[in-house]
Amino acid sequence: MVDVRLVDEWFMREVLPLEAALMRFLRNNGRGESDPADLRQELYVQLYEAARRGLPTCARAFAFRVARNLLINQLRRSRVVSMEAMADLETLNIAVTTITPEQEAAARNELRRLQAGLRCLPAKCREVVELRRIDGLSQTEVATRLGVCESTVEKQLAYGLRALTDFMLGGDGKIRRAPATLRKKAEAVRLQEEAVS
Amino acid sequence: MSGAEEIEAAAARWRVRRDRGDWSEDDQRALTAWLNASTAHRVAWLRMEYGWRRSHRLAALRLPMPQSSIGETHDTRRACHRYATGVMALAATLVAVAVGTWIVWQDIGAVHHYETEIGGHRVVPLRDGSRLELNTDTRLSAEIDDRARTVWLDQGEAYFEVAHDASRPFVIHAGKHRIVVLGTRFSVRRSDHDLLEVAVADGRVRIDALDVAGTEAPAIAVRGEVAVAAAASTLVTPVSPERVDRELAWRRGVLIFDNTTLADAVREFNRYNRQQLMIDDTVAVARTRISGSFEAANVQAFVRLLHSAYGLRVEDRGDRIDIAG
């Protein structure tokens, strides 16, 4: 087994930059039934666990191969299997598109991309992120400055982190909030975490 | 909406919480337990870690703050603001700044990005008559206009022939350092661990360390000197003209070693070639000293020489070559 720290760094260095292209691949070739975030999670879990057994030499080829197999299995599991759809997937050319020229240019100037992502954040969240990440204030200092409690600051930072990460990895920087039932469950999980810590 | 969204939300909360001042060992244990509970947790965490690390760049946008603000403590996170001060001074002449609001960088359109791949070499003429040469595996950006000349060396090594212009100092930002020249010829190399090496062939360069509190005297290096800068200290050494020439031999596609250990020579070759040489640093043979000139791109010739002249065992394994005693 490869050391988890090595796999972690490999994953961040080699796989995450491919997210935009991988998501496009999944979107264009999938059936649109699964939630994209679920599909991405499934893909990443498989990539990570495979890498634990041995780091692949070419992350790009490997990632797209696993993505294609994921879609094939998804198709097999679904009730109505179109033979054409299956054939299409199996002959899919894996040397897939590179990211668009615009994305490539933006990726090169990461600071610009971060700023664009910042502009997409809701006002309050943006203010918190700017105080913390641009000004370097601690969470306590941000809370004092804005006159709110620290847990609010934490919540805003967590939201901002998700949105910025999503944006930087090629998404639109919009985080959909979970419906009420799942939020309650998440709250229960969070309380559990807190009890432990 | 989905299990994945919930896990991602939890990962984000964990990542943000970890940066609080009061993170304890119990917190760490809880986080480790959560990460180990499922690979889905771990990959979500890595995504947030990636975002968090990248968002650190935002610190470059910091405006110089007036002294009397917020009762700041001088911890290392604040170090970035000095770097930003230099960049801001430059940017202020180019972008309109609205008082009390954050700078929104307009697309100036004049920043050009240049890159070389491993083993690459690229010559870039600039608008002001200066000339850049990018060495292997290098990334830099350049912005030249009527008022300023700026280069950001993000990675690797470049040789600069700067056209003389007293009205526009040529400024190079490399990590936490800034190099200022009027007109001269020199190379700048960024190595691991934020080490900076400047070899001056002609003229004078000034090297400022930007994250130092207080006034640290800048280092000046002139023709025939090599400066090595790490964090806040810069060591300037006069060297022989041959040494400077050796530092710049890459421009001719050549690597010159003069009593260099095999381990160091291997490291140097590996900068220029996809097929990597592997040698165990701990064995005596790694400390063998070698001298000579080699084509940077010709790993095979180098390795053949090691075998014939030094009797070393060499095994070609495709993407790498193992060297043993």
Side-chain angles (χ1 to χ4, degrees):
Chain A
M1 289 292 242
V2 181
D3 190 292
V4 290
R5 284 162 303 182
L6 284 178
V7 184
D8 286 353
E9 291 299 324
W10 168 85
F11 187 84
M12 285 189 280
R13 194 183 61 240
E14 304 285 341
V15 174
L16 287 178
L18 300 171
E19 183 164 303
L22 284 169
M23 291 306 281
R24 226 184 358 262
F25 179 85
L26 292 175
R27 203 168 44 238
N28 294 342
N29 298 295
R31 292 165 62 88
E33 285 173 345
S34 301
D35 182 85
D38 276 337
L39 214 49
R40 183 179 65 212
Q41 179 176 274
E42 182 59 36
L43 172 62
Y44 283 173
V45 165
Q46 287 190 24
L47 290 179
Y48 190 93
E49 290 180 347
R52 270 279 270 163
R53 293 189 288 274
L55 290 180
T57 30
C58 176
R60 185 181 201 102
F62 172 68
F64 279 98
R65 199 161 48 240
V66 174
R68 188 195 69 165
N69 291 339
L70 195 72
L71 293 180
I72 290 177
N73 289 332
Q74 185 189 43
L75 196 56
R76 283 205 188 108
R77 279 196 300 268
S78 73
R79 302 232 188 97
V80 178
V81 181
S82 149
M83 294 316 292
E84 279 155 10
M86 186 65 99
D88 280 344
L89 273 179
E90 280 174 347
T91 58
L92 200 54
N93 185 359
I94 301 235
V96 188
T97 55
T98 49
I99 58 180
T100 67
E102 296 77 34
Q103 283 172 303
E104 174 120 4
R108 292 219 200 122
N109 195 333
E110 195 163 59
L111 185 55
R112 291 234 173 86
R113 188 137 185 89
L114 278 167
Q115 284 170 278
L118 264 186
R119 287 199 282 275
C120 293
L121 294 177
K124 192 171 174 195
C125 177
R126 179 176 169 178
E127 192 168 14
V128 170
V129 171
E130 285 176 348
L131 285 172
R132 179 85 181 85
R133 274 332 235 167
I134 298 183
D135 264 351
L137 268 57
S138 71
Q139 292 189 21
T140 314
E141 285 165 345
V142 174
T144 311
R145 180 90 102 101
L146 297 179
V148 297
C149 63
E150 276 194 54
S151 77
T152 303
V153 171
E154 227 174 72
K155 258 191 266 199
Q156 292 293 353
L157 278 177
Y159 182 92
L161 177 59
R162 289 177 65 197
L164 273 182
T165 305
D166 191 65
F167 188 85
M168 281 189 282
L169 291 173
D172 58 9
K174 306 231 185 321
I175 307 294
R176 285 160 290 154
R177 303 228 26 214
T181 47
L182 280 178
R183 271 210 291 277
K184 284 218 183 75
K185 179 158 187 259
E187 186 63 26
V189 169
R190 195 179 67 76
L191 289 172
Q192 234 177 346
E193 284 165 26
E194 271 175 6
V196 172
S197 64
Chain B
M1 240 170 218
S2 71
E5 297 267 358
E6 288 315 309
I7 292 177
E8 180 180 284
R13 265 202 314 278
W14 272 117
R15 187 57 190 92
V16 163
R17 190 174 302 169
R18 187 145 161 285
D19 253 45
R20 276 171 55 164
D22 57 357
W23 182 258
S24 70
E25 276 198 24
D26 283 339
D27 292 329
Q28 184 59 48
R29 262 193 289 274
L31 172 58
T32 307
W34 185 78
L35 288 175
N36 289 338
S38 152
T39 308
H41 292 182
R42 187 171 278 272
V43 296
W45 162 267
L46 290 176
R47 224 167 147 263
M48 293 298 110
E49 172 68 24
Y50 178 95
W52 187 259
R53 284 188 194 180
R54 300 224 110 55
S55 72
H56 187 69
R57 282 244 190 163
L58 285 169
L61 292 175
R62 185 166 176 181
L63 288 171
M65 300 281 253
Q67 291 312 99
S68 59
S69 53
I70 337 159
E72 350 181 295
T73 54
H74 293 291
D75 67 15
T76 49
R77 281 175 302 191
R78 224 72 85 222
C80 289
H81 91 274
R82 291 247 172 185
Y83 172 64
T85 308
V87 180
M88 285 301 131
L90 235 37
T93 64
L94 303 168
V95 178
V97 179
V99 174
T101 67
W102 298 109
I103 290 181
V104 174
W105 285 48
Q106 301 304 320
D107 192 335
I108 300 164
V111 181
H112 298 281
H113 307 280
Y114 306 99
E115 274 185 23
T116 46
E117 50 175 27
I118 295 178
H121 184 178
R122 183 171 173 185
V123 174
V124 176
L126 297 179
R127 286 173 57 192
D128 67 329
S130 300
R131 198 167 153 277
L132 309 182
E133 276 185 44
L134 276 63
N135 196 1
T136 175
D137 204 17
T138 296
R139 284 189 293 124
L140 67 74
S141 307
E143 184 166 20
I144 311 282
D145 67 21
D146 298 334
R147 279 179 272 189
R149 304 185 284 173
T150 315
V151 165
W152 290 267
L153 179 63
D154 293 326
Q155 174 182 302
E157 177 173 15
Y159 174 78
F160 297 79
E161 273 179 14
V162 175
H164 192 92
D165 185 347
S167 70
R168 285 186 299 175
F170 196 99
V171 179
I172 301 161
H173 294 275
K176 300 193 180 89
H177 290 92
R178 182 178 62 197
I179 298 159
V180 182
V181 298
L182 295 179
T184 184
R185 290 184 290 126
F186 58 98
S187 68
V188 182
R189 174 173 163 183
R190 286 188 75 168
S191 318
D192 300 326
H193 315 301
D194 278 320
L195 215 65
L196 194 70
E197 280 179 48
V198 179
V200 183
D202 199 26
R204 270 162 85 89
V205 312
R206 190 180 91 215
I207 302 162
D208 300 326
L210 291 172
D211 69 342
V212 180
T215 51
E216 173 90 10
I220 310 265
V222 303
R223 173 180 176 189
E225 292 182 336
V226 167
V228 178
S233 58
T234 306
L235 181 70
V236 179
T237 320
V239 298
S240 63
E242 290 78 42
R243 166 78 192 273
V244 175
D245 182 63
R246 273 208 302 281
E247 296 295 325
L248 298 176
W250 58 266
R251 298 177 60 215
R252 309 193 291 278
V254 166
L255 299 179
I256 302 181
F257 302 122
D258 180 34
N259 221 28
T260 309
T261 64
L262 186 54
D264 286 341
V266 159
R267 241 192 303 279
E268 195 61 15
F269 258 103
N270 284 342
R271 289 177 67 204
Y272 297 85
N273 294 281
R274 290 197 181 275
Q275 187 177 38
Q276 299 277 281
L277 301 172
M278 307 289 279
I279 186 166
D280 186 347
D281 271 357
T282 61
V283 298
V285 73
R287 293 192 287 280
T288 315
R289 289 186 179 268
I290 65 171
S291 302
S293 304
F294 304 89
E295 275 181 61
N298 198 343
V299 165
Q300 298 291 339
F302 179 62
V303 149
R304 267 200 305 275
L305 179 82
L306 291 181
H307 177 69
S308 65
Y310 298 93
L312 298 178
R313 221 175 46 240
V314 163
E315 281 174 54
D316 190 330
R317 293 188 192 282
D319 63 337
R320 67 173 209 272
I321 299 180
D322 292 333
I323 304 170

